[in-house]
Amino acid sequence: MEQSQSRVSASDALARFRLLFLSAVGIFFFFVPISVNGKSTIPLDHLVSQIKVWLGSGVAWYAFAMIVIGAVYPFVSGQWSKSLTDKVFSGLKVMGAGAALMAVTGAGPEFLHSKDMLPFLFEKLVISVGLIVPVGAVFLSFLVSYGLLELIGILVQPVMRPIWRTPGRSAIDAVASFVGSYSLGLLITNRVYKSGQYSAKEAAIIATGFSTVSATFMIIVAKTLDLMSVWNLYFWGTLVITFIVTAITVHLPPLRQMDESVADPEPDAGSEGRLQTAYQTGMNVARQAPAVGSNVLSTIKDGLLMTISILPSIMSVGLIGLLVAKYTPVFEWLGYLFYPFTAVWGIDGAKELAQASASGLAEMFLPALLLRDAEFVVRMAAGVICVSSVLFFSASIPCILSTSIPLSVGRLVVIWFIRTALSLLLAIPFALFVAGQM
């Protein structure tokens, strides 16, 4: 009897250590700025910068290798032939490998090697993403694997249904999507939808409203736009704006008109003892969580798979987007659709912000790339738009189309337009507020 109680006590102590300490490690690496050699930023950013220094010139060849592996992988795995979308993006990944080869060797047309084309795309974006995604995945595992997400999910259950029209269980899904990645979020959403626990409308709301880029990607955006000095304001402000925009879009078509029938609805949860319930739920997850070593190895594998998946697309779609932005009026024309939403605030650079926001449909990083030299308010607003728009053709839209959630390309483009317009209306005053605090 005493031995049994001792084992239970030891299990509780380990679970408490995981929930409180390991989750705190994740919080520290992502959200606690520290100063090193006069530079103040989050520890993850310091670590990635140091790794880049250690690798030296080898970092470019590492990124190139990841892109080549990513271009080959769909053909080795057979993924390329599953749908027209897969075929198109597999082709784009091969193009990305070709662009990367030109970037590291200096070969190819001279205009591609101007400082705002291949050199910037490869050195400032691709290399950074290639390092921060797998390294960030290690510490992201501490943030998402030991009960913190579930604890938060229970606490926010009472607000999910009235505000976002989704069940309480989607709180975990929403936070995992935002803090983890859109691929992780969509995997969870599709699994729950196919099991009959989400309606088509609920699954679509989560897929288009919460499944945005991860915190690690947001660091890349913030670094590109020189926003790391206000990282916490940027991160939490973007999270709030993204969720506000989602709360509005659920009341607008096409989401409003989607099927709400659900086979296995969630029972109403009582509000008594919610804090205790949240803590116990977090403890239960911490008890069942894998050992730290195996968990870290698993997340490194996931991080590397995500890296080889996104780097070739960023290289090809990003380069196409930059060429279209520089040599054609396409984004200028699309930008006029958003100009009323930027001009209303009377800021300098309203037209440029509108045009750059339109480019986000092709690739979420393009607004950041196009506005990296703009004034602070425009850069901050662009940083928010990159995340809160959620939908883009280089990754998230193909991922959604590969699920069972009934969303067409046309519906996704309409939702993207609504989200971007609403995001601009909220992001600009937020940027003005942050500028006033500096």
Side-chain angles (χ1 to χ4, degrees):
M1 182 71 174
E2 291 181 0
Q3 288 180 340
S4 175
Q5 290 176 339
S6 177
R7 284 195 296 270
V8 170
S9 178
S11 174
D12 284 348
L14 178 60
R16 194 174 298 110
F17 170 80
R18 288 173 167 179
L19 175 61
L20 301 179
F21 179 76
L22 295 183
S23 296
V25 170
I27 292 171
F28 171 74
F29 270 88
F30 276 95
F31 301 118
V32 181
I34 60 174
S35 184
V36 177
N37 297 327
K39 177 185 177 184
S40 180
T41 185
I42 56 174
L44 178 59
D45 189 27
H46 283 302
L47 178 58
V48 170
S49 297
Q50 188 58 53
I51 291 173
K52 192 180 295 185
V53 171
W54 290 335
L55 291 175
S57 60
V59 72
W61 291 104
Y62 156 77
F64 175 66
M66 291 292 101
I67 290 173
V68 171
I69 293 169
V72 172
Y73 185 77
F75 299 96
V76 173
S77 64
Q79 180 70 34
W80 73 277
S81 61
K82 291 187 175 179
S83 68
L84 178 60
T85 301
D86 287 311
K87 291 175 181 176
V88 170
F89 277 90
S90 295
L92 286 171
K93 288 178 179 181
V94 173
M95 289 174 57
L101 179 62
M102 288 189 288
V104 296
T105 63
E110 186 177 343
F111 73 94
L112 289 179
H113 292 281
S114 60
K115 65 179 183 179
D116 59 345
M117 286 292 169
L118 281 177
F120 182 84
L121 188 63
F122 188 75
E123 296 168 16
K124 300 296 184 182
L125 180 57
V126 169
I127 288 176
S128 295
V129 172
L131 288 175
I132 207 164
V133 171
V135 176
V138 174
F139 300 101
L140 202 60
S141 66
F142 295 120
L143 205 59
V144 303
S145 300
Y146 296 106
L148 180 65
L149 286 190
E150 286 74 12
L151 186 151
I152 294 172
I154 296 295
L155 292 178
V156 301
Q157 273 185 357
V159 303
M160 295 304 294
R161 176 64 68 184
I163 297 178
W164 290 287
R165 298 294 189 264
T166 57
R169 60 167 70 100
S170 68
I172 298 170
D173 197 343
V175 177
S177 301
F178 201 95
V179 179
S181 71
Y182 58 84
S183 56
L184 171 65
L186 288 171
L187 177 67
I188 298 170
T189 305
N190 191 48
R191 187 181 300 163
V192 177
Y193 171 64
K194 290 173 70 175
S195 71
Q197 295 176 295
Y198 285 159
S199 68
K201 180 177 180 178
E202 290 166 348
I205 289 169
I206 297 165
T208 62
F210 299 128
S211 299
T212 187
V213 295
S214 69
T216 52
F217 278 80
M218 291 179 68
I219 296 171
I220 303 296
V221 173
K223 285 173 68 67
T224 301
L225 292 167
D226 193 21
L227 299 176
M228 289 305 294
S229 61
V230 290
W231 163 253
N232 275 315
L233 278 172
Y234 167 65
F235 178 87
W236 294 109
T238 302
L239 184 147
V240 170
I241 288 172
T242 300
F243 285 8
I244 290 174
V245 169
T246 301
I248 297 171
T249 56
V250 301
H251 298 286
L252 303 173
L255 290 177
R256 185 183 66 190
Q257 301 158 335
M258 294 188 69
D259 182 17
E260 297 185 60
S261 60
V262 56
D264 183 17
E266 181 180 64
D268 292 332
S271 59
E272 295 182 3
R274 186 168 295 277
L275 182 61
Q276 180 64 23
T277 302
Y279 175 73
Q280 289 302 324
T281 302
M283 285 284 286
N284 290 337
V285 172
R287 287 189 190 95
Q288 298 167 17
V292 173
S294 61
N295 192 24
V296 168
L297 287 175
S298 175
T299 53
I300 289 175
K301 177 184 176 183
D302 291 342
L304 288 172
L305 286 173
M306 181 174 288
T307 301
I308 65 172
S309 174
I310 60 179
L311 286 191
S313 297
I314 290 174
M315 199 71 209
S316 59
V317 179
L319 181 59
I320 291 168
L322 288 176
L323 290 170
V324 169
K326 187 171 183 177
Y327 295 108
T328 78
V330 170
F331 292 137
E332 182 178 350
W333 295 339
L334 287 175
Y336 285 116
L337 297 174
F338 295 113
Y339 185 60
F341 302 99
T342 59
V344 69
W345 298 106
I347 61 170
D348 293 333
K351 181 180 178 182
E352 291 75 13
L353 178 58
Q355 292 170 353
S357 298
S359 72
L361 180 60
E363 161 58 46
M364 61 81 57
F365 281 116
L366 283 178
L369 293 175
L370 297 174
L371 296 174
R372 60 189 181 275
D373 298 320
E375 65 172 32
F376 177 82
V377 169
V378 173
R379 284 187 283 118
M380 174 62 84
V384 174
I385 298 302
C386 285
V387 179
S388 62
S389 294
V390 174
L391 302 168
F392 52 100
F393 273 108
S394 68
S396 67
I397 289 177
C399 284
I400 292 172
L401 293 174
S402 68
T403 69
S404 301
I405 303 168
L407 285 168
S408 63
V409 171
R411 278 182 168 181
L412 290 170
V413 171
V414 171
I415 295 169
W416 165 80
F417 175 81
I418 294 171
R419 292 195 63 88
T420 304
L422 292 173
S423 297
L424 285 167
L425 287 175
L426 296 171
I428 295 172
F430 169 68
L432 290 168
F433 166 76
V434 176
Q437 305 302 306
M438 298 176 65

